[in-house]
Amino acid sequence: PDFERAAKVGNKNDIPVTFVKVNCDGPGYHTCHDANADIYPTLKLYRSGVEERRYYGERTPKDLVRYVLNMVGDHAKVIPTQEELDKFTVSDPQYMFVGAFTEDSPLKTEFLKQAEDLREFNRFALVSDPALLEKLGQTNGVIAFQPEFLRNKWEPATKVFTGEPFDLYGFTQSVKVDLVGIITRHCKALIPIYNELASRAREDPNVVIAKMDATSNSVPRPFESRGFPTIYFVPKGNSVRPIKFEGSALSRV
């Protein structure tokens, strides 16, 4: 049902992507075999009939549509107005990168290259309008916007890269030691305990205690929430592989 709902959203908004389902137990058996579909469901992106990559993210309609929007068209969206820039940089569970350039440069070339490589789960934009560049305070730089739930109180919301080399993937992996709790409004018993833990850790600049409501927000990759509450430990420098806490949340937090 979620796949079909995502397809309807795509058709309604004229997103140039075709959503295709294949019955691997029936007529599509050989297709699935050729595609190395070893688990079900398996989601893959094809471009011009050629397999490009496998999708490992969440399967909600919102996440599927977000992924498709990241993958179609230019890998860096051109932002011509302040209104569109405000919409682009609104709080989001993804990292956002804005390239601010007045002309072609080695920095711009490298930005576009990394945008192509990292577009799957990050958002990229290009700004060249003089008025917008003046407001951004950059004419040859890359502005990185870090999601709020991955920042501690000492970290700024943005970081600016103005020289080479720079590594946007490394920036997305530089989160401090985090404990991320994915909860719902039904997890009332955990909230005061979790808040107490956050209070104790507040003065440590190397620790972030974060929580999010999974009923009203999309859970970003690589986190998964198959039951509530779900708690993850994210080691510094290894945010792509968080460790799921398997014990009793109420007795051990």
Side-chain angles (χ1 to χ4, degrees):
D2 287 343
F3 190 80
E4 293 173 354
R5 283 195 284 267
K8 289 180 180 178
V9 173
N11 290 335
K12 182 178 179 181
N13 292 277
D14 295 324
I15 300 175
V17 170
T18 301
F19 289 78
V20 178
K21 292 197 303 183
V22 178
N23 182 0
C24 295
D25 291 327
Y29 171 80
H30 293 291
T31 299
C32 296
H33 181 269
D34 293 341
N36 295 316
D38 49 353
I39 59 174
Y40 304 109
T42 294
L43 301 180
K44 293 192 174 186
L45 175 70
Y46 287 78
R47 195 184 299 273
S48 300
V50 179
E51 180 182 332
E52 181 167 314
R53 64 188 74 192
R54 185 167 178 168
Y55 176 69
Y56 291 99
E58 293 291 309
R59 278 92 184 279
T60 68
K62 182 177 180 180
D63 287 303
L64 290 172
V65 171
R66 185 199 303 274
Y67 173 78
V68 166
L69 289 172
N70 281 2
M71 298 304 295
V72 300
D74 294 332
H75 40 279
K77 179 181 179 181
V78 176
I79 302 291
T81 67
Q82 182 66 51
E83 181 181 4
E84 289 195 39
L85 181 63
D86 291 341
K87 289 181 180 179
F88 181 84
T89 55
V90 72
S91 179
D92 192 281
Q94 296 177 307
Y95 283 90
M96 295 170 286
F97 300 97
V98 176
F101 304 101
T102 56
E103 59 186 5
D104 291 340
S105 68
L107 190 70
K108 181 179 180 180
T109 299
E110 180 61 23
F111 170 73
L112 292 175
K113 178 180 179 297
Q114 295 192 35
E116 175 65 24
D117 293 339
L118 301 175
R119 66 191 293 187
E120 185 172 4
F121 292 104
N122 303 282
R123 299 169 62 205
F124 294 85
L126 273 175
V127 172
S128 59
D129 179 78
L132 290 182
L133 293 174
E134 184 177 356
K135 289 185 178 181
L136 291 172
Q138 297 294 328
T139 57
N140 188 46
V142 178
I143 306 169
F145 293 81
Q146 187 174 2
E148 183 177 358
F149 83 101
L150 289 179
R151 300 196 308 267
N152 64 34
K153 66 177 184 179
W154 288 274
E155 289 182 298
T158 61
K159 180 177 180 178
V160 178
F161 300 89
T162 57
E164 296 182 88
F166 65 96
D167 180 10
L168 300 184
Y169 176 77
F171 174 74
T172 66
Q173 305 306 309
S174 64
V175 182
K176 307 300 187 296
V177 178
D178 296 356
L179 186 65
V180 179
I182 302 172
I183 67 175
T184 70
R185 288 187 289 269
H186 305 294
C187 303
K188 294 181 179 179
L190 176 63
I191 292 176
I193 301 173
Y194 206 70
N195 288 343
E196 180 183 354
L197 176 63
S199 178
R200 291 180 182 181
R202 185 173 181 81
E203 300 306 318
D204 189 335
N206 293 312
V207 177
V208 176
I209 306 297
K211 65 182 179 181
M212 67 177 295
D213 184 351
T215 64
S216 57
N217 296 280
S218 295
V219 179
R221 186 192 185 208
F223 302 106
E224 290 185 349
S225 54
R226 302 189 183 280
F228 304 108
T230 300
I231 298 175
Y232 283 93
F233 172 72
V234 186
K236 181 179 180 180
N238 195 23
S239 61
V240 73
R241 291 185 177 88
I243 301 169
K244 186 176 180 179
F245 177 67
E246 301 289 357
S248 170
L250 293 180
S251 63
R252 298 190 182 185
V253 171

PDB file of all heavy atoms in Angstrom, residues 65-77:
ATOM      1  N   VAL A  65       8.898   9.194  -1.754  1.00  0.00           N
ATOM      2  CA  VAL A  65       8.785  10.375  -2.615  1.00  0.00           C
ATOM      3  C   VAL A  65       9.985  11.287  -2.418  1.00  0.00           C
ATOM      4  O   VAL A  65      10.539  11.835  -3.385  1.00  0.00           O
ATOM      5  CB  VAL A  65       7.467  11.119  -2.332  1.00  0.00           C
ATOM      6  CG1 VAL A  65       7.449  12.463  -3.063  1.00  0.00           C
ATOM      7  CG2 VAL A  65       6.274  10.278  -2.760  1.00  0.00           C
ATOM      8  N   ARG A  66      10.426  11.449  -1.169  1.00  0.00           N
ATOM      9  CA  ARG A  66      11.602  12.286  -0.902  1.00  0.00           C
ATOM     10  C   ARG A  66      12.830  11.735  -1.638  1.00  0.00           C
ATOM     11  O   ARG A  66      13.608  12.471  -2.240  1.00  0.00           O
ATOM     12  CB  ARG A  66      11.878  12.329   0.604  1.00  0.00           C
ATOM     13  CG  ARG A  66      13.024  13.281   0.996  1.00  0.00           C
ATOM     14  CD  ARG A  66      13.547  12.946   2.381  1.00  0.00           C
ATOM     15  NE  ARG A  66      12.503  12.994   3.379  1.00  0.00           N
ATOM     16  CZ  ARG A  66      12.124  14.095   4.016  1.00  0.00           C
ATOM     17  NH1 ARG A  66      12.723  15.231   3.740  1.00  0.00           N
ATOM     18  NH2 ARG A  66      11.173  14.054   4.929  1.00  0.00           N
ATOM     19  N   TYR A  67      12.979  10.424  -1.585  1.00  0.00           N
ATOM     20  CA  TYR A  67      14.110   9.777  -2.255  1.00  0.00           C
ATOM     21  C   TYR A  67      14.047  10.014  -3.765  1.00  0.00           C
ATOM     22  O   TYR A  67      15.052  10.355  -4.396  1.00  0.00           O
ATOM     23  CB  TYR A  67      14.092   8.283  -1.949  1.00  0.00           C
ATOM     24  CG  TYR A  67      15.114   7.478  -2.712  1.00  0.00           C
ATOM     25  CD1 TYR A  67      16.451   7.484  -2.323  1.00  0.00           C
ATOM     26  CD2 TYR A  67      14.749   6.717  -3.814  1.00  0.00           C
ATOM     27  CE1 TYR A  67      17.393   6.752  -3.022  1.00  0.00           C
ATOM     28  CE2 TYR A  67      15.689   5.975  -4.522  1.00  0.00           C
ATOM     29  CZ  TYR A  67      17.015   5.991  -4.116  1.00  0.00           C
ATOM     30  OH  TYR A  67      17.937   5.267  -4.816  1.00  0.00           O
ATOM     31  N   VAL A  68      12.865   9.833  -4.335  1.00  0.00           N
ATOM     32  CA  VAL A  68      12.698  10.027  -5.772  1.00  0.00           C
ATOM     33  C   VAL A  68      13.030  11.472  -6.158  1.00  0.00           C
ATOM     34  O   VAL A  68      13.724  11.719  -7.150  1.00  0.00           O
ATOM     35  CB  VAL A  68      11.264   9.660  -6.193  1.00  0.00           C
ATOM     36  CG1 VAL A  68      10.959  10.180  -7.586  1.00  0.00           C
ATOM     37  CG2 VAL A  68      11.072   8.145  -6.145  1.00  0.00           C
ATOM     38  N   LEU A  69      12.565  12.421  -5.372  1.00  0.00           N
ATOM     39  CA  LEU A  69      12.836  13.826  -5.667  1.00  0.00           C
ATOM     40  C   LEU A  69      14.336  14.118  -5.612  1.00  0.00           C
ATOM     41  O   LEU A  69      14.853  14.943  -6.380  1.00  0.00           O
ATOM     42  CB  LEU A  69      12.079  14.732  -4.692  1.00  0.00           C
ATOM     43  CG  LEU A  69      10.563  14.786  -4.890  1.00  0.00           C
ATOM     44  CD1 LEU A  69       9.908  15.562  -3.754  1.00  0.00           C
ATOM     45  CD2 LEU A  69      10.214  15.414  -6.230  1.00  0.00           C
ATOM     46  N   ASN A  70      15.035  13.458  -4.670  1.00  0.00           N
ATOM     47  CA  ASN A  70      16.487  13.642  -4.595  1.00  0.00           C
ATOM     48  C   ASN A  70      17.195  13.105  -5.831  1.00  0.00           C
ATOM     49  O   ASN A  70      18.228  13.619  -6.255  1.00  0.00           O
ATOM     50  CB  ASN A  70      17.045  12.922  -3.363  1.00  0.00           C
ATOM     51  CG  ASN A  70      16.830  13.698  -2.076  1.00  0.00           C
ATOM     52  OD1 ASN A  70      16.232  14.767  -2.075  1.00  0.00           O
ATOM     53  ND2 ASN A  70      17.306  13.146  -0.976  1.00  0.00           N
ATOM     54  N   MET A  71      16.619  12.045  -6.406  1.00  0.00           N
ATOM     55  CA  MET A  71      17.322  11.320  -7.455  1.00  0.00           C
ATOM     56  C   MET A  71      16.985  11.764  -8.871  1.00  0.00           C
ATOM     57  O   MET A  71      17.700  11.438  -9.812  1.00  0.00           O
ATOM     58  CB  MET A  71      17.046   9.817  -7.325  1.00  0.00           C
ATOM     59  CG  MET A  71      17.544   9.211  -6.022  1.00  0.00           C
ATOM     60  SD  MET A  71      19.313   9.479  -5.736  1.00  0.00           S
ATOM     61  CE  MET A  71      20.015   8.535  -7.095  1.00  0.00           C
ATOM     62  N   VAL A  72      15.874  12.480  -9.073  1.00  0.00           N
ATOM     63  CA  VAL A  72      15.515  12.899 -10.425  1.00  0.00           C
ATOM     64  C   VAL A  72      16.062  14.294 -10.702  1.00  0.00           C
ATOM     65  O   VAL A  72      16.318  15.077  -9.797  1.00  0.00           O
ATOM     66  CB  VAL A  72      13.984  12.890 -10.643  1.00  0.00           C
ATOM     67  CG1 VAL A  72      13.423  11.506 -10.426  1.00  0.00           C
ATOM     68  CG2 VAL A  72      13.289  13.899  -9.726  1.00  0.00           C
ATOM     69  N   GLY A  73      16.211  14.601 -11.975  1.00  0.00           N
ATOM     70  CA  GLY A  73      16.651  15.930 -12.356  1.00  0.00           C
ATOM     71  C   GLY A  73      18.103  16.192 -11.989  1.00  0.00           C
ATOM     72  O   GLY A  73      18.901  15.282 -11.764  1.00  0.00           O
ATOM     73  N   ASP A  74      18.457  17.468 -11.926  1.00  0.00           N
ATOM     74  CA  ASP A  74      19.823  17.853 -11.583  1.00  0.00           C
ATOM     75  C   ASP A  74      20.130  17.466 -10.144  1.00  0.00           C
ATOM     76  O   ASP A  74      19.271  17.557  -9.265  1.00  0.00           O
ATOM     77  CB  ASP A  74      20.001  19.360 -11.747  1.00  0.00           C
ATOM     78  CG  ASP A  74      19.866  19.792 -13.204  1.00  0.00           C
ATOM     79  OD1 ASP A  74      20.168  18.957 -14.084  1.00  0.00           O
ATOM     80  OD2 ASP A  74      19.458  20.936 -13.447  1.00  0.00           O
ATOM     81  N   HIS A  75      21.355  17.069  -9.892  1.00  0.00           N
ATOM     82  CA  HIS A  75      21.716  16.661  -8.534  1.00  0.00           C
ATOM     83  C   HIS A  75      21.845  17.852  -7.589  1.00  0.00           C
ATOM     84  O   HIS A  75      21.872  17.662  -6.373  1.00  0.00           O
ATOM     85  CB  HIS A  75      22.996  15.820  -8.529  1.00  0.00           C
ATOM     86  CG  HIS A  75      24.051  16.283  -9.476  1.00  0.00           C
ATOM     87  ND1 HIS A  75      24.025  15.981 -10.815  1.00  0.00           N
ATOM     88  CD2 HIS A  75      25.165  17.017  -9.283  1.00  0.00           C
ATOM     89  CE1 HIS A  75      25.085  16.507 -11.406  1.00  0.00           C
ATOM     90  NE2 HIS A  75      25.778  17.146 -10.508  1.00  0.00           N
ATOM     91  N   ALA A  76      21.932  19.052  -8.117  1.00  0.00           N
ATOM     92  CA  ALA A  76      21.898  20.258  -7.290  1.00  0.00           C
ATOM     93  C   ALA A  76      20.833  21.192  -7.862  1.00  0.00           C
ATOM     94  O   ALA A  76      20.925  21.628  -9.007  1.00  0.00           O
ATOM     95  CB  ALA A  76      23.261  20.947  -7.279  1.00  0.00           C
ATOM     96  N   LYS A  77      19.812  21.491  -7.083  1.00  0.00           N
ATOM     97  CA  LYS A  77      18.698  22.311  -7.542  1.00  0.00           C
ATOM     98  C   LYS A  77      19.108  23.783  -7.596  1.00  0.00           C
ATOM     99  O   LYS A  77      19.691  24.313  -6.652  1.00  0.00           O
ATOM    100  CB  LYS A  77      17.509  22.150  -6.594  1.00  0.00           C
ATOM    101  CG  LYS A  77      16.298  22.979  -6.975  1.00  0.00           C
ATOM    102  CD  LYS A  77      15.159  22.793  -5.984  1.00  0.00           C
ATOM    103  CE  LYS A  77      13.957  23.645  -6.373  1.00  0.00           C
ATOM    104  NZ  LYS A  77      12.839  23.492  -5.398  1.00  0.00           N
TER     105      LYS A  77
END
